[in-house]
Coordinates of all heavy atoms in Angstrom, one line a residue:
V4 N 9.8 10.2 -19.8 CA 8.4 10.1 -20.3 C 8.1 8.7 -20.5 O 8.9 7.8 -21.0 CB 8.3 10.8 -21.6 CG1 6.8 10.9 -22.0 CG2 9.0 12.2 -21.7
L5 N 6.9 8.3 -20.2 CA 6.3 7.0 -20.5 C 5.2 7.2 -21.5 O 4.5 8.2 -21.4 CB 5.8 6.3 -19.3 CG 6.7 6.0 -18.1 CD1 5.9 5.2 -17.1 CD2 8.0 5.3 -18.5
W6 N 5.0 6.3 -22.5 CA 3.9 6.4 -23.4 C 3.6 5.0 -23.9 O 4.4 4.1 -24.0 CB 4.2 7.4 -24.5 CG 5.2 7.0 -25.5 CD1 5.0 6.3 -26.7 CD2 6.5 7.4 -25.5 NE1 6.2 6.1 -27.3 CE2 7.2 6.8 -26.6 CE3 7.4 8.0 -24.6 CZ2 8.6 6.9 -26.9 CZ3 8.7 8.0 -24.8 CH2 9.2 7.6 -26.0
D7 N 2.3 4.9 -24.3 CA 1.7 3.7 -24.8 C 2.2 3.5 -26.3 O 2.0 4.4 -27.1 CB 0.2 3.7 -24.8 CG -0.4 2.4 -25.1 OD1 -0.3 1.9 -26.2 OD2 -1.3 1.9 -24.3
R8 N 2.7 2.4 -26.6 CA 3.3 2.1 -27.9 C 2.2 2.2 -29.0 O 2.5 2.6 -30.1 CB 4.1 0.9 -28.0 CG 5.3 0.8 -27.1 CD 6.0 -0.6 -27.2 NE 7.0 -0.7 -26.3 CZ 8.4 -0.5 -26.5 NH1 8.7 0.0 -27.7 NH2 9.4 -0.6 -25.6
E9 N 1.0 1.8 -28.7 CA -0.1 1.9 -29.7 C -0.8 3.1 -29.7 O -0.9 3.7 -30.9 CB -1.0 0.7 -29.3 CG -0.5 -0.8 -29.3 CD -0.1 -1.1 -30.8 OE1 -0.7 -0.7 -31.7 OE2 1.0 -1.8 -30.9
T10 N -1.3 3.7 -28.7 CA -2.0 4.9 -28.7 C -1.2 6.2 -28.6 O -1.7 7.3 -28.9 CB -3.1 4.8 -27.5 OG1 -2.3 5.1 -26.2 CG2 -3.8 3.5 -27.4
L11 N 0.0 6.1 -28.1 CA 1.0 7.2 -27.9 C 0.6 8.1 -26.8 O 1.1 9.2 -26.5 CB 1.2 8.0 -29.1 CG 1.7 7.2 -30.4 CD1 1.9 8.1 -31.5 CD2 2.9 6.4 -30.1
G12 N -0.5 7.7 -26.1 CA -1.0 8.5 -24.9 C 0.0 8.1 -23.7 O 0.6 7.0 -23.7
S13 N 0.1 9.0 -22.7 CA 1.0 8.9 -21.6 C 0.2 8.5 -20.4 O -0.8 9.2 -20.0 CB 1.8 10.1 -21.4 OG 2.7 10.3 -22.5
P14 N 0.6 7.5 -19.6 CA -0.2 7.1 -18.5 C 0.0 8.0 -17.2 O -0.7 7.9 -16.3 CB 0.3 5.7 -18.2 CG 1.8 5.7 -18.6 CD 1.7 6.7 -19.9
R15 N 1.1 9.0 -17.3 CA 1.4 9.8 -16.2 C 2.2 11.0 -16.7 O 2.6 10.8 -17.8 CB 2.0 9.1 -15.1 CG 3.5 8.8 -15.4 CD 4.4 8.5 -14.3 NE 4.0 8.9 -12.9 CZ 4.4 10.1 -12.5 NH1 5.0 11.0 -13.4 NH2 4.2 10.5 -11.4
K16 N 2.3 12.0 -15.9 CA 3.1 13.2 -16.3 C 4.6 12.8 -16.3 O 5.0 11.9 -15.6 CB 2.9 14.4 -15.3 CG 1.4 14.9 -15.5 CD 1.4 16.1 -14.6 CE -0.1 16.8 -14.9 NZ -1.2 16.0 -14.3
A17 N 5.3 13.5 -17.1 CA 6.8 13.3 -17.2 C 7.4 13.8 -15.9 O 7.0 14.8 -15.3 CB 7.4 14.0 -18.4
I18 N 8.5 13.2 -15.5 CA 9.2 13.6 -14.3 C 10.4 14.5 -14.8 O 11.2 14.0 -15.5 CB 9.6 12.5 -13.4 CG1 8.5 11.6 -12.9 CG2 10.5 13.1 -12.2 CD1 8.9 10.4 -11.9
V19 N 10.4 15.8 -14.5 CA 11.4 16.6 -15.1 C 12.7 16.7 -14.4 O 12.9 16.3 -13.4 CB 10.8 18.1 -15.0 CG1 11.7 19.2 -15.6 CG2 9.3 18.1 -15.7
W20 N 13.7 17.0 -15.3 CA 15.1 17.0 -14.7 C 15.3 17.8 -13.5 O 16.1 17.5 -12.6 CB 16.1 17.5 -15.9 CG 15.8 18.9 -16.2 CD1 15.0 19.4 -17.2 CD2 16.4 20.1 -15.8 NE1 15.0 20.8 -17.4 CE2 15.9 21.2 -16.5 CE3 17.3 20.4 -14.7 CZ2 16.3 22.5 -16.2 CZ3 17.8 21.7 -14.5 CH2 17.2 22.8 -15.3
Q21 N 14.5 18.8 -13.2 CA 14.6 19.5 -11.9 C 14.1 18.9 -10.8 O 14.4 19.3 -9.7 CB 13.9 20.9 -12.2 CG 14.5 21.8 -13.3 CD 13.5 23.0 -13.5 OE1 12.2 22.8 -13.7 NE2 13.9 24.2 -13.5
D22 N 13.3 17.8 -10.9 CA 12.6 17.2 -9.8 C 13.6 16.5 -8.8 O 14.5 15.9 -9.2 CB 11.7 16.1 -10.4 CG 10.7 15.5 -9.4 OD1 11.1 14.8 -8.5 OD2 9.6 15.8 -9.7
R23 N 13.3 16.8 -7.6 CA 14.2 16.3 -6.5 C 13.7 15.1 -5.6 O 14.2 14.7 -4.6 CB 14.5 17.5 -5.5 CG 15.1 18.8 -6.2 CD 16.5 18.6 -6.3 NE 16.9 18.2 -7.6 CZ 18.1 17.9 -8.0 NH1 19.2 17.9 -7.1 NH2 18.4 17.4 -9.2
R24 N 12.6 14.6 -6.1 CA 11.9 13.5 -5.3 C 12.8 12.3 -5.1 O 12.5 11.5 -4.1 CB 10.7 13.1 -5.9 CG 10.6 12.2 -7.0 CD 9.3 11.9 -7.7 NE 8.8 13.1 -8.4 CZ 7.6 13.0 -8.9 NH1 6.9 12.1 -9.0 NH2 7.2 14.2 -9.5
T25 N 13.8 12.1 -5.9 CA 14.6 10.9 -5.7 C 15.9 11.1 -4.9 O 16.8 10.2 -5.0 CB 14.9 10.2 -7.2 OG1 15.8 11.2 -7.8 CG2 13.6 10.0 -7.9
A26 N 16.0 12.2 -4.2 CA 17.1 12.4 -3.4 C 17.4 11.2 -2.4 O 18.6 10.8 -2.3 CB 17.0 13.7 -2.6
D27 N 16.4 10.7 -1.8 CA 16.7 9.6 -0.8 C 17.1 8.3 -1.6 O 17.8 7.4 -1.0 CB 15.4 9.3 0.0 CG 15.2 10.5 1.0 OD1 16.1 11.3 1.2 OD2 14.0 10.6 1.5
I28 N 16.6 8.1 -2.8 CA 17.0 6.9 -3.6 C 18.4 7.0 -3.9 O 19.2 6.0 -3.8 CB 16.1 6.8 -4.9 CG1 14.6 6.5 -4.4 CG2 16.7 5.8 -5.8 CD1 13.7 6.4 -5.6
C29 N 18.9 8.2 -4.2 CA 20.2 8.5 -4.6 C 21.2 8.3 -3.3 O 22.2 7.5 -3.5 CB 20.5 9.7 -5.2 SG 19.7 10.0 -6.8
T30 N 20.7 8.7 -2.2 CA 21.4 8.5 -1.0 C 21.5 7.0 -0.7 O 22.6 6.5 -0.2 CB 20.9 9.3 0.2 OG1 20.8 10.7 -0.2 CG2 21.6 9.0 1.5
E31 N 20.4 6.3 -0.8 CA 20.4 4.9 -0.6 C 21.4 4.2 -1.5 O 22.2 3.2 -1.0 CB 19.0 4.3 -0.9 CG 18.7 2.9 -0.8 CD 17.4 2.5 -1.3 OE1 16.4 3.2 -1.0 OE2 17.2 1.4 -2.0
L32 N 21.4 4.5 -2.8 CA 22.4 3.8 -3.7 C 23.9 4.1 -3.3 O 24.8 3.3 -3.5 CB 22.1 4.3 -5.1 CG 20.8 3.6 -5.7 CD1 20.3 4.4 -7.0 CD2 21.0 2.2 -5.9
K33 N 24.0 5.3 -2.9 CA 25.4 5.8 -2.5 C 25.9 5.0 -1.3 O 27.0 4.5 -1.2 CB 25.5 7.2 -2.0 CG 25.4 8.1 -3.3 CD 25.3 9.6 -2.8 CE 25.1 10.5 -4.1 NZ 25.0 11.9 -3.6
T34 N 25.0 4.7 -0.3 CA 25.4 3.9 0.9 C 25.7 2.3 0.5 O 26.3 1.7 1.3 CB 24.2 3.9 1.9 OG1 23.1 3.4 1.3 CG2 24.0 5.3 2.4
Q35 N 25.2 2.0 -0.7 CA 25.5 0.7 -1.1 C 26.8 0.6 -1.9 O 27.3 -0.5 -2.3 CB 24.3 0.2 -2.1 CG 23.0 0.0 -1.5 CD 21.9 -0.3 -2.5 OE1 22.3 -0.6 -3.7 NE2 20.7 -0.2 -2.1
G36 N 27.4 1.7 -1.9 CA 28.8 1.8 -2.5 C 29.0 1.6 -3.9 O 30.0 1.2 -4.5
V37 N 27.8 2.0 -4.7 CA 27.9 1.8 -6.2 C 28.2 3.0 -6.9 O 28.4 3.0 -8.2 CB 26.5 1.3 -6.7 CG1 26.2 0.0 -6.0 CG2 25.4 2.2 -6.4
E38 N 28.3 4.2 -6.3 CA 28.4 5.3 -7.1 C 29.7 5.5 -7.9 O 29.7 6.0 -9.0 CB 28.4 6.6 -6.1 CG 28.5 8.0 -7.0 CD 28.2 9.2 -6.1 OE1 28.6 9.2 -4.8 OE2 27.6 10.1 -6.6
G39 N 30.8 4.9 -7.3 CA 32.0 4.9 -8.1 C 31.9 4.1 -9.4 O 32.3 4.6 -10.4
R40 N 31.2 3.0 -9.4 CA 31.1 2.2 -10.6 C 30.1 3.0 -11.6 O 30.4 2.9 -12.8 CB 30.6 0.8 -10.2 CG 30.3 -0.1 -11.4 CD 31.5 -0.3 -12.3 NE 31.3 -1.3 -13.3 CZ 32.1 -1.5 -14.4 NH1 33.2 -0.7 -14.5 NH2 31.8 -2.4 -15.3
V41 N 29.1 3.6 -11.0 CA 28.1 4.2 -11.9 C 28.9 5.4 -12.5 O 28.8 5.7 -13.7 CB 27.0 4.7 -11.0 CG1 26.1 5.7 -12.0 CG2 26.0 3.7 -10.6
S42 N 29.7 6.2 -11.9 CA 30.5 7.3 -12.4 C 31.5 6.9 -13.5 O 31.6 7.4 -14.5 CB 31.1 8.1 -11.3 OG 30.3 8.7 -10.5
E43 N 32.1 5.6 -13.1 CA 33.1 5.1 -14.1 C 32.5 4.8 -15.5 O 33.0 5.1 -16.5 CB 33.7 3.8 -13.5 CG 34.7 3.2 -14.4 CD 35.2 1.8 -13.8 OE1 34.8 1.6 -12.7 OE2 35.9 1.0 -14.6
L44 N 31.1 4.3 -15.4 CA 30.5 3.7 -16.7 C 29.9 5.0 -17.3 O 30.0 5.1 -18.6 CB 29.5 2.8 -16.4 CG 30.0 1.3 -15.9 CD1 28.9 0.5 -15.5 CD2 30.7 0.7 -17.1

């Protein structure tokens, strides 16, 4: 969720845990070889 610290209104809808739109972003990061470090942390 994003919200305005002053008005508490949100500029856009929340992206829900079920959302799959970032599958390609995750694949891109995996090809960069960072998944092992991300998992470690």
Side-chain angles (χ1 to χ4, degrees):
V4 192
L5 304 182
W6 66 91
D7 189 302
R8 294 178 188 269
E9 294 297 324
T10 69
L11 304 182
S13 296
R15 69 165 337 276
K16 292 183 176 69
I18 302 179
V19 178
W20 60 272
Q21 296 170 310
D22 193 285
R23 303 277 94 189
R24 78 185 67 181
T25 63
D27 289 342
I28 291 173
C29 292
T30 300
E31 174 190 323
L32 289 166
K33 288 176 185 177
T34 61
Q35 295 173 12
V37 301
E38 185 170 34
R40 179 59 175 162
V41 170
S42 295
E43 179 186 352
L44 289 172

